[in-house]
Amino acid sequence: AEQQRLTTIEVDRLVGETTKSLERAEQLAPTDRNAARQAAQQAFDTATQARVKRPNDPRTSKTLYAAQDWLDRLNGIAIVNAQEFLTLTDTPAVSARIAANYPSVFVLDRVAGRIYRYQVSDAGTSPALNSEGGVILKTGEKVGDRTVGALIDIAIVDSRRLVALDRNGNFLLYELERATWSARPAIDAAAWSRVNLAASFAGNVYLIDAPNNQILKYVPNSEGWWSAATTFFMPGANPNMSNVVDLTIERDIWLLRSTGGVLQCNATRCNELAMRDLETPISKAVAAFAPEGLAPLYLADAGNQRIVQIDKAAGRFARQFKASAFTPEVFKSLKTLTADGERLYFISENKVYLAKISPAQ
């Protein structure tokens, strides 16, 4: 009993010192980051001692996590506080894609053959679920006279429309305002047996034909529909696309390799993006996204449980996003992501999240 009493006194002291050190770090952060970092490190060390003495005390865990978050922030890591707004319950999200046009977010679960639409909010309230569990399209349904096949991918075409593609060779177009689908067949749909990834830019739709090291480019006609593709790469470009896991388009086409390398491509050639100042190499790249008209390139690094932001114009590492120590499961198994100027949307394990992007410090 005496030993427990002494331990309680010591833990109380350590928790109090940790709290004071964190308060000092917060006060110093705007004017003296080095001193703030020292205070946060002291808080972390003290909190670690408290947790060793009493690991089941919720106070020791809380102060340790808070110290870890402050230390990460002061070391240039942006801490992500994410809202979960969808759980894919039918199957694990081993093959999911996401597209966003705030406040609408669209999620494709390829395994379940479903597309979901959610309305999200920055207000901290639960996002509003659409009717029918958020599902707006299923494999096997009819859209006009076309049967929806196995779904390949989705992409935002413009502020009013989403396009989905299926193995039956259909362009499936969703009008956001009217919440209605329409469909047209592709003339060269036989090529779609080889494609798994799609993207859109300036109304055009692009599909990766990896076995042929080519990208199929579909330009809309006067009615806003696509029919037959032209090849994006000119003869002689010959990019190796065997390990490409994602593409994103912002004027140039950016191809993400599973190794973490990025190819910056135009019609005549592809160049490897030389990423500078990235201390920890990307270990398992799974997704890439470049918001239109903005400098960042976001890369999902599942191996290091983070999202990396690259200044694509200079190839320079800008910052990285990691989960709070309070919620490490948020980035436990990253699958895919998208972004706009203010938010990240991503899937980890079988959960879909929204997170505000804090201004760079």
Side-chain angles (χ1 to χ4, degrees):
E2 178 64 11
Q3 184 61 49
Q4 289 180 0
R5 187 183 70 81
L6 293 175
T7 299
T8 298
I9 292 172
E10 179 66 4
V11 169
D12 288 347
R13 182 186 70 80
L14 292 170
V15 168
E17 286 186 7
T18 300
T19 302
K20 289 179 182 177
S21 295
L22 289 176
E23 290 173 351
R24 188 162 65 253
E26 186 174 3
Q27 292 169 355
L28 291 168
T31 56
D32 190 340
R33 290 183 70 84
N34 284 333
R37 191 178 293 109
Q38 292 175 2
Q41 184 64 59
Q42 183 178 355
F44 181 80
D45 294 341
T46 308
T48 300
Q49 295 175 42
R51 195 162 189 242
V52 168
K53 288 182 176 294
R54 189 158 284 173
N56 295 325
D57 188 330
R59 297 175 306 158
T60 63
S61 296
K62 181 179 179 181
T63 52
L64 180 63
Y65 296 158
Q68 180 65 70
D69 281 358
W70 260 108
L71 201 54
D72 284 345
R73 288 190 187 98
L74 292 166
N75 286 327
I77 297 171
I79 300 300
V80 169
N81 294 306
Q83 313 176 36
E84 175 196 337
F85 64 88
L86 174 60
T87 299
L88 303 176
T89 55
D90 290 343
T91 56
V94 295
S95 187
R97 300 286 285 170
I98 190 167
N101 181 33
Y102 185 82
S104 291
V105 181
F106 300 90
V107 179
L108 164 62
D109 186 337
R110 288 172 173 146
V111 178
R114 296 180 176 184
I115 297 175
Y116 298 80
R117 180 182 182 179
Y118 268 68
Q119 299 294 106
V120 300
S121 168
D122 290 335
T125 57
S126 297
L129 178 66
N130 283 29
S131 61
E132 298 185 22
V135 177
I136 57 173
L137 190 67
K138 300 177 186 177
T139 295
E141 290 183 338
K142 285 277 192 178
V143 176
D145 62 349
R146 305 292 296 177
T147 300
V148 179
L151 292 160
I152 298 172
D153 209 346
I154 55 175
I156 297 291
V157 179
D158 52 42
S159 61
R160 299 176 295 106
R161 301 182 299 165
L162 172 90
V163 66
L165 305 100
D166 71 7
R167 295 293 179 198
N168 290 347
N170 294 315
F171 285 105
L172 303 155
L173 197 59
Y174 183 76
E175 300 283 347
L176 274 63
E177 292 182 4
R178 294 186 296 174
T180 57
W181 288 96
S182 50
R184 296 279 180 88
I187 293 174
D188 52 356
W192 289 15
S193 63
R194 303 188 300 269
V195 304
N196 292 300
L197 296 169
S200 175
F201 182 74
N204 302 328
V205 175
Y206 300 79
L207 307 181
I208 288 186
D209 183 358
N212 291 324
N213 292 320
Q214 188 55 263
I215 292 176
L216 307 178
K217 178 181 177 180
Y218 291 84
V219 178
N221 58 26
S222 58
E223 297 177 347
W225 283 93
W226 312 267
S227 55
T230 58
T231 52
F232 176 78
F233 290 118
M234 297 178 65
N238 297 325
N240 181 356
M241 302 174 69
S242 60
N243 62 348
V244 169
V245 294
D246 204 3
L247 81 159
T248 184
I249 306 172
E250 205 286 315
R251 305 194 185 281
D252 287 336
I253 292 181
W254 306 81
L255 302 175
L256 177 65
R257 299 182 185 276
S258 58
T259 55
V262 177
L263 292 176
Q264 180 181 1
C265 302
N266 57 33
T268 59
R269 67 182 184 276
C270 290
N271 295 319
E272 191 82 25
L273 180 67
M275 286 185 271
R276 295 182 287 163
D277 304 330
L278 184 61
E279 292 183 8
T280 304
I282 294 172
S283 69
K284 184 183 177 183
V286 294
F289 188 77
E292 188 173 343
L294 300 173
L297 175 66
Y298 296 100
L299 306 176
D301 178 5
N304 291 308
Q305 299 184 20
R306 61 178 178 167
I307 293 174
V308 175
Q309 180 180 330
I310 302 292
D311 180 342
K312 64 179 182 293
R316 181 177 291 111
F317 167 77
R319 57 177 168 165
Q320 58 186 325
F321 299 85
K322 287 192 172 184
S324 166
F326 291 94
T327 56
E329 71 281 357
V330 167
F331 278 177
K332 183 179 179 181
S333 182
L334 282 168
K335 305 295 183 186
T336 187
L337 88 157
T338 189
D340 55 31
E342 300 181 18
R343 305 161 198 88
L344 292 169
Y345 311 86
F346 58 93
I347 298 176
S348 183
E349 291 194 301
N350 67 331
K351 299 182 185 299
V352 190
Y353 295 91
L354 158 70
K356 287 279 287 183
I357 297 176
S358 58
Q361 307 211 347

